[in-house]
């Protein structure tokens, strides 16, 4: 080893080799963006060697290559278990280059070998039809973070660190990415990390000054203000700033030495010395030029260190042939002849700089979480069954019942540290508070005497009022091989629409990659739903997440609307056992009638939908009408409407169908859970009127059933009506109440004649009586509040 620098971090000879390794990564990155052939420039560069359409992002890439090389050094020196998350979205060339240099890429993709032919394939596939994307993607080894959309890197990093005490998650944050709402909020995630039982997160703010065409905010405030901001968020920032490679290598090496020692000391204090004070974890600010080491001036315009370096800094085509020489000069500035041997393999003395085996960041098992996934120990959900002696005889709060089951799931897996509940301060509100009998909320900030369930360690992550962080933490937790769920108010889960989309895309792509192992499903419990907002009103009413979810690949998404607590238990047991899905479960927290015994609920949920024979009277004849329902409140109103119809029109033949698995409505050709046409027709008939009460927007049911034979479908659901009123009045305002449903049936069955006309009038009178009563008393009619199902004679 050569002479160490004055801080003793790294010797001069190792610095020289690290710089060469960095040059190799930069060379491979530029080659991916531009080259189609001649990967080692062993012939003069021509336009035929350049891709006809050059696409990619250069600006963030050299900085990430620099970081990766230095992280490799400390991984080897200290035998670190480290995960790399690339927040700057389109830094794909850097991650591909580095995983190729360390050998992982060729192990996973043997057709891209460690030779000149492999380099050609590596270069050609980048942003090329049938190849790989320009951003870090599921196909990139070592990644748990889709780099196409910005804002979620740091929350993913914390999710990965939870319950992984020996893991360090290096999270590279672009200074453009830092301006997104989720990322700006996630600086506070350090208040939710236990130094004793969790791993460490090392944010590296990549401050290169520009976004696509604008400067970044943090790059344009002075050093003192930036440092105060980061310290105010609870971090200890270390600054590595400059543009001279030799100086920057020394600074980065010495800084990482301090950071690693700082992390180890803080963990030692917590684990060996019982220090419960919240650490001020270290982070790094790397200020370097955008497009570092790239072209400095092109056509008289500055490129390096400006926004012009963000994407492709040189246009090389038939209209810009003079740029070909600039490209060749740029590529040769990395001196590839010094880096690769005659066969095209990285020379031995540089290859030795990379860690070995699973210590390579591209091969870290945490980046392929299914490799580490263990089944949950599942308690018997039947122990929490609501005793239903007859349909509708008892009431229960469905999510409160589920909370007791989740308490047991938590308890059964305490020693495995592989299950957590996430949410934005709504676990108690959604009546899941039974879990606090066995665990706490994880919270590492100050507490006050009247606080409840706050502790430095816990299985519940809901003490931050941010849907973005709850979602991001859970995704990071799942992607690194654990289990969990997110509970949220139904209307406000829309805040993470885009995050859900990105995760669903990740699941879709990874399911097609043989080397990616399946992970635990992303489970949503949506409560405080649209039909239970009598005191919150219009702002809290939005069931549209269901519409958004069903747009995604059928192989990935599942949607369940259990009608009662026993069905909810059965469904959630299934969801927590499942793999590689997104499961959306909608369940209410208000006390409602319970319909099925536990055995009946298991059978019903297994089938996904079915005729409720005890509510129907068409067993010996063709039905006159099919009354269908999906969701707890629609089920209540359909059954109340059926009871009115059967009392006043006893000759009418009614078939009642309840749907718990929404995707059963689609044809099997569209969704794996879908019914084939024969089974659908046998249930819903080919031509009888279907009056369908649905939890969400009515047109979703029309969309799912558009190709079915029976077009005589009339759906009632939420239609953007609601205010501060009674719970029943919300149903009335949206025409999904029992009185409107009875009127619908009469309208669809003209043969009812005078009897139907009179019943319709009675229902109209009831609606007027209802409005007058709530205006005077502020509560629903007694016959609404006290209604019970009884089978008509």
């Amino acid at each position: 080893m050569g002479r160490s620098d004055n801080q003793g971090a790294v010797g001069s000879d190792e610095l020289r080799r690290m710089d060469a390794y960095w040059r190799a990564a930069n060379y491979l990155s530029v080659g991916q963006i531009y080259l189609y052939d001649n990967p080692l420039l062993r012939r003069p560069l021509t336009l035929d060697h350049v891709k006809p359409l050059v696409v990619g992002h250069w600006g963030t890439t050299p900085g990430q290559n620099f970081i990766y090389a230095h992280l490799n050094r400390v991984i080897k020196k200290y035998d670190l278990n480290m995960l790399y998350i690339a927040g700057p979205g389109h830094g794909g060339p850097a991650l591909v280059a580095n995983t190729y240099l360390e050998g992982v890429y060729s192990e996973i993709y043997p057709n891209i070998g460690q030779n000149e032919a492999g380099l050609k394939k590596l270069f050609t596939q980048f942003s090329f039809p049938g190849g790989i994307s320009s951003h870090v993607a599921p196909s990139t080894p070592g990644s748990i973070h889709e780099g196409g959309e910005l804002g979620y890197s740091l929350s993913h990093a914390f999710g990965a660190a939870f319950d992984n005490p020996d893991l360090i998650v290096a999270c590279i944050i672009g200074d453009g990415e830092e301006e997104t709402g989720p990322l700006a909020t996630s600086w506070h995630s350090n208040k939710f990390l236990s130094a004793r039982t969790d791993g460490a997160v090392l944010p590296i703010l990549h401050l290169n000054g520009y976004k696509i065409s604008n400067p970044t905010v943090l790059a344009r405030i002075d050093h003192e203000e930036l440092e105060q901001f980061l310290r105010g968020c609870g971090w200890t920032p270390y600054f590595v700033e400059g543009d001279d490679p030799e100086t920057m290598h020394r600074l980065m090496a010495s800084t990482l030495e301090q950071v690693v020692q700082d992390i180890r000391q803080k963990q030692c204090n917590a684990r060996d010395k019982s220090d419960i004070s919240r650490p001020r974890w270290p982070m790094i600010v790397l200020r370097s030029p955008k497009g570092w080491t790239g072209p400095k001036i092109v056509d008289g315009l500055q490129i390096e260190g400006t926004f012009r370096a963000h994407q492709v800094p040189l246009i090389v085509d038939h209209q810009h042939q003079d740029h070909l020489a600039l490209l060749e000069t740029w590529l040769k500035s990395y001196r590839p002849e010094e880096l690769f041997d005659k066969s095209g393999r990285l020379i031995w003395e540089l290859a030795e700089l990379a860690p070995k085996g699973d210590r390579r960041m591209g091969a870290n098992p945490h980046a392929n979480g299914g490799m580490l996934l263990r089944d949950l120990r599942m308690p018997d959900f039947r122990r929490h069954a609501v005793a239903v002696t007859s349909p509708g005889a008892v009431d229960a709060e469905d999510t409160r019942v589920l909370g007791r089951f989740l308490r047991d799931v938590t308890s059964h897996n305490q020693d495995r540290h592989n299950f957590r509940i996430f949410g934005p301060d709504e676990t108690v509100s959604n009546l899941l508070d039974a879990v606090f009998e066995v665990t706490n909320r994880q919270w590492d900030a100050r507490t006050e005497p009247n606080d409840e369930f706050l502790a430095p360690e816990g299985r519940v992550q809901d003490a931050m009022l941010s849907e973005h962080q709850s979602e991001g933490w859970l995704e990071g937790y799942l992607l690194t091989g654990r289990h969990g769920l997110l509970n949220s108010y139904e209307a406000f889960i829309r805040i993470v629409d885009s995050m859900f989309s990105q995760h669903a895309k990740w699941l879709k792509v990874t399911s097609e990659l043989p080397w990616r192992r399946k992970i635990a499903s992303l489970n949503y419990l949506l409560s405080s739903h649209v039909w239970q907002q009598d005191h919150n009103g219009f702002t809290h009413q939005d069931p549209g997440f269901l519409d958004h979810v069903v747009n995604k690949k059928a192989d990935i998404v599942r949607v369940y609307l259990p009608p009662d607590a026993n069905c909810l238990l059965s469904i959630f047991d299934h969801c927590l056992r499942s793999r590689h899905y997104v499961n959306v479960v909608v369940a209410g927290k208000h006390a409602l009638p319970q319909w099925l015994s536990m055995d009946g609920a298991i059978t019903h949920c297994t089938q996904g939908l079915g005729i409720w024979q005890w509510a129907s009277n068409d067993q010996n004849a063709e039905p006159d009408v099919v009354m269908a329902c999906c969701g707890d409140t629609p089920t209540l109103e359909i059954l109340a409407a059926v009871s009115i119809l059967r009392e006043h029109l006893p000759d009418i033949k009614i078939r009642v169908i309840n749907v718990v698995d929404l995707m059963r409505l689609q044809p099997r050709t569209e969704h794996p859970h879908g019914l084939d046409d024969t089974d659908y027709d046998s249930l819903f008939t080919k031509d009888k009127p279907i009056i369908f009460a649905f939890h969400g927007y009515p047109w979703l049911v029309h969309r799912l059933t558009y190709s079915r034979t029976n077009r005589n479908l009339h759906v009632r659901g939420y239609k953007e009506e609601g205010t501060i009123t009674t719970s029943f009045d919300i149903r009335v305002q949206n025409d999904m109440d029992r009185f409107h449903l009875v009127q619908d049936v009469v309208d669809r069955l003209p043969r009812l004649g005078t009897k139907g006309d009179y019943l319709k009038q009675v229902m109209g009178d009831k609606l007027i009586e209802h409005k007058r009563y709530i205006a005077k008393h502020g509560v629903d009619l007694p016959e609404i509040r006290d209604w019970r199902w009884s089978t008509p004679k």
Side-chain angles (χ1 to χ4, degrees):
M1 188 72 71
R3 179 181 62 84
S4 296
D5 65 19
N6 58 2
Q7 290 177 290
V10 60
S12 297
D13 182 62
E14 189 171 10
L15 277 175
R16 175 191 62 80
R17 290 189 293 137
M18 287 180 64
D19 183 71
Y21 195 96
W22 179 44
R23 284 189 281 116
N26 286 339
Y27 180 82
L28 295 186
S29 299
V30 180
Q32 289 177 75
I33 294 172
Y34 283 95
L35 294 186
Y36 179 76
D37 199 358
N38 194 11
L40 289 171
L41 299 184
R42 288 175 174 167
R43 291 167 282 154
L45 191 66
T46 69
L47 278 178
D48 290 339
H49 301 149
V50 179
K51 294 177 183 178
L53 179 62
V54 176
V55 180
H57 290 70
W58 167 245
T60 181
T61 296
Q64 290 208 57
N65 287 334
F66 180 82
I67 293 167
Y68 206 102
H70 280 269
L71 292 177
N72 277 344
R73 188 189 70 80
V74 292
I75 290 170
K76 282 198 72 173
K77 180 175 179 178
Y78 296 102
D79 190 31
L80 301 178
N81 182 9
M82 184 172 282
L83 191 63
Y84 186 102
I85 292 181
H90 291 277
L95 270 293
V96 172
N98 279 283
T99 54
Y100 178 82
L101 290 175
E102 68 190 14
V104 177
Y105 207 90
S106 297
E107 291 170 11
I108 291 176
Y109 303 107
N111 62 313
I112 299 177
Q114 297 279 302
N115 52 41
E116 187 171 0
L119 280 176
K120 181 182 184 303
K121 292 178 180 178
L122 184 79
F123 291 175
T124 301
Q125 69 174 1
F126 181 81
S127 285
F128 199 79
I132 64 173
S133 64
S134 66
H135 52 80
V136 181
S139 59
T140 310
S143 174
I144 66 164
H145 179 76
E146 174 76 64
E149 182 176 319
L150 302 179
Y152 316 131
S153 59
L154 194 52
S155 54
H156 282 165
F158 276 90
F162 293 142
D163 294 322
N164 272 327
D166 70 329
L167 185 67
I168 298 177
V169 187
C171 181
I172 290 68
I173 300 163
D175 50 353
E177 178 193 20
E178 197 283 333
E179 296 172 6
T180 64
L183 198 292
T185 305
S186 62
W187 288 118
H188 293 295
S189 293
N190 52 14
K191 286 82 174 177
F192 302 88
L193 194 74
S194 167
R196 193 179 75 88
T197 58
D198 297 329
V201 175
L202 174 60
I204 302 176
L205 177 59
H206 190 199
L207 204 66
N208 61 27
Y210 294 90
K211 305 182 281 281
I212 295 175
S213 60
N214 277 293
T216 58
V217 173
L218 294 188
R220 295 298 178 91
I221 61 178
D222 61 35
H223 181 100
E224 181 184 12
E225 185 177 356
L226 176 59
E227 184 172 3
Q228 287 177 345
F229 168 73
L230 295 171
R231 289 188 180 278
C233 291
W235 297 94
T236 301
Y238 292 80
F239 289 81
V240 177
E241 302 175 286
D243 59 3
D244 175 65
E246 183 177 352
T247 303
M248 290 290 280
H249 280 303
R250 290 186 180 278
L251 280 171
M252 189 65 169
S254 62
T255 298
L256 274 173
E257 289 287 325
Q258 295 176 65
V259 164
V260 170
Q261 294 301 329
D262 193 5
I263 290 172
R264 288 190 157 186
Q265 185 62 56
K266 286 174 168 49
Q267 291 178 334
C268 177
N269 290 344
R271 297 171 188 182
D272 301 333
K273 301 177 182 179
S274 300
D275 183 355
I276 61 172
S277 61
R278 176 168 62 89
R280 286 184 168 267
W281 295 99
M283 63 163 295
I284 295 173
V285 179
L286 174 65
R287 190 190 295 269
S288 62
K290 196 173 185 77
W292 195 13
T293 75
K296 290 181 169 47
I297 304 291
V298 177
D299 297 336
L301 296 173
Q302 183 179 342
I303 302 298
E304 185 188 63
T306 76
F307 67 89
R308 299 183 185 93
H310 181 78
Q311 294 179 329
V312 178
L314 275 175
I315 299 175
V316 183
D317 56 23
H318 288 284
Q319 286 73 45
H320 301 83
Q321 295 193 45
D322 55 325
H323 289 178
L324 184 65
L326 294 176
L327 174 60
E328 188 169 28
T329 299
W330 178 15
L331 285 163
K332 286 186 173 180
S333 72
Y334 300 118
R335 306 193 296 281
E337 68 280 1
E338 300 176 4
L339 309 174
F340 301 94
D341 65 20
K342 291 182 179 180
S343 71
R345 179 184 289 269
L346 185 68
I347 62 174
W348 179 83
E349 72 166 339
L350 299 184
E352 281 296 296
L353 294 175
K356 305 301 179 187
D358 287 353
R359 287 304 195 230
R360 295 171 297 176
M361 288 186 283
N364 193 303
H366 294 281
N368 192 1
M371 297 175 65
L372 304 175
L373 185 63
R374 293 188 296 170
D375 289 343
L376 288 171
R377 295 188 187 122
M378 294 295 288
D380 186 355
F381 65 92
R382 298 169 184 82
R383 292 182 57 248
H384 301 285
V386 176
V388 179
T389 54
S390 63
V394 298
D395 288 351
E397 298 161 313
D398 294 359
T399 55
R400 190 179 298 281
V401 175
L402 178 66
R404 294 191 282 269
F405 171 62
L406 294 177
R407 174 199 61 200
D408 290 357
V409 175
T410 302
S411 178
H412 278 58
N413 295 279
Q414 288 274 31
D415 61 331
R416 289 192 168 192
H417 307 289
N418 66 342
F419 176 75
R420 290 197 183 210
I421 297 170
F422 298 80
D425 188 30
E426 291 163 1
T427 303
V428 171
S429 178
N430 286 328
L431 304 190
L432 304 179
D433 44 303
V435 298
F436 294 119
E437 297 171 18
V438 296
T439 190
N440 287 299
R441 300 181 172 104
Q442 185 147 324
W443 172 266
D444 203 20
R446 190 179 70 247
T447 59
E448 299 289 349
N450 288 319
D451 292 335
E452 286 189 327
F453 317 128
L454 297 180
E457 296 157 23
R459 305 277 85 201
V460 178
Q461 300 283 152
D462 84 329
M464 192 175 193
L465 187 56
S466 170
E467 286 82 0
H468 286 123
Q469 299 318 305
S470 299
E471 174 81 15
W473 289 344
L474 175 55
E475 289 177 1
Y477 198 66
L478 299 175
L479 287 161
T480 48
R482 281 75 65 76
H483 306 258
L485 67 102
L486 190 155
N487 77 98
S488 174
Y489 287 7
E490 180 185 54
F492 304 131
I493 198 64
R494 304 303 308 271
I495 293 169
V496 300
D497 273 6
S498 186
M499 296 184 75
F500 150 76
S501 292
Q502 295 300 325
H503 189 79
K505 290 174 185 290
W506 180 278
L507 294 179
K508 188 265 186 186
V509 175
T510 54
S511 68
E512 299 166 357
L513 296 171
W515 61 274
R516 285 279 188 184
R517 304 287 183 84
K518 290 186 175 182
I519 62 173
S521 296
L522 170 57
N523 298 308
Y524 292 97
L525 173 65
L526 306 185
S527 193
S528 300
H529 61 56
V530 61
W531 304 108
Q532 297 177 345
Q533 297 306 326
D534 37 314
H535 72 287
N536 286 317
F538 197 43
T539 59
H540 284 54
Q541 298 168 9
D542 186 351
F545 191 63
L546 301 184
D547 301 67
H548 180 55
V549 167
V550 301
N551 285 327
K552 302 307 170 189
K553 292 295 293 185
D555 290 342
I556 300 301
V557 296
R558 307 287 186 266
V559 178
Y560 302 101
L561 293 102
D564 64 8
N566 287 339
C567 288
L568 177 59
L569 288 169
S570 178
I571 288 294
F572 233 91
D573 177 80
H574 166 76
C575 291
L576 290 177
R577 295 175 188 271
S578 68
R579 297 286 184 272
H580 228 68
Y581 297 141
V582 176
N583 297 309
V584 180
V585 182
V586 183
K589 63 184 184 182
H590 289 188
L592 288 176
Q594 302 296 298
W595 308 110
L596 302 179
S597 68
M598 180 52 77
D599 287 343
I602 293 171
T603 299
H604 182 52
C605 293
T606 302
Q607 293 174 337
L609 83 173
I611 300 172
W612 279 4
Q613 296 189 27
W614 51 267
S616 307
N617 67 345
D618 68 324
Q619 290 84 351
N620 299 313
E622 282 286 308
D624 296 304
V625 64
V626 176
M627 302 286 279
C629 46
C630 183
D632 53 11
T633 303
T635 298
L636 169 63
E637 291 305 308
I638 279 287
L639 289 171
V642 168
S643 68
I644 294 170
L645 287 164
R646 290 183 60 181
E647 177 186 354
H648 290 269
L649 302 170
D651 293 335
I652 190 175
K653 298 298 181 183
I654 301 172
R655 176 176 296 178
V656 177
I657 295 178
N658 182 266
V659 179
V660 63
D661 179 349
L662 184 64
M663 309 318 291
R664 294 289 274 166
L665 296 178
Q666 277 196 304
R668 186 165 295 171
T669 53
E670 299 293 326
H671 194 282
H673 286 195
L675 286 175
D676 63 34
D677 285 339
T678 300
D679 289 340
Y680 184 92
D681 291 345
S682 70
L683 287 170
F684 290 95
T685 77
K686 290 185 177 182
D687 57 0
K688 296 298 187 292
I690 305 168
I691 307 300
F692 200 127
F694 178 53
H695 174 86
Y697 292 109
W699 40 89
L700 179 56
V701 173
H702 285 287
R703 181 176 144 207
L704 295 174
T705 60
Y706 78 96
S707 65
R708 298 299 193 178
T709 302
N710 192 345
R711 313 293 293 173
N712 197 0
L713 174 66
H714 312 279
V715 186
R716 297 292 173 260
Y718 183 68
K719 58 179 188 178
E720 292 291 324
E721 295 292 343
T723 183
I724 306 301
T725 186
T726 69
S727 56
F728 183 71
D729 193 52
I730 292 177
R731 304 168 214 167
V732 171
Q733 291 184 40
N734 289 277
D735 299 339
M736 203 206 67
D737 62 284
R738 60 200 69 182
F739 303 136
H740 278 105
L741 291 170
V742 169
Q743 289 181 330
D744 273 353
V745 172
V746 173
D747 288 342
R748 308 301 166 190
L749 296 176
R751 72 169 183 80
L752 294 174
T754 302
K755 287 185 178 180
D757 296 337
Y758 273 88
L759 180 57
K760 187 175 179 181
Q761 177 67 50
V762 170
M763 296 299 99
D765 294 344
K766 281 293 183 184
L767 288 168
I768 294 171
E769 181 184 356
H770 153 74
K771 287 292 187 181
R772 294 177 63 187
Y773 189 89
I774 65 170
K776 180 178 181 181
H777 300 283
V779 295
D780 286 318
L781 286 160
E783 67 184 83
I784 301 297
R785 288 182 279 132
D786 301 334
W787 179 85
R788 292 285 176 189
W789 168 265
S790 60
T791 304
K793 297 179 181 179

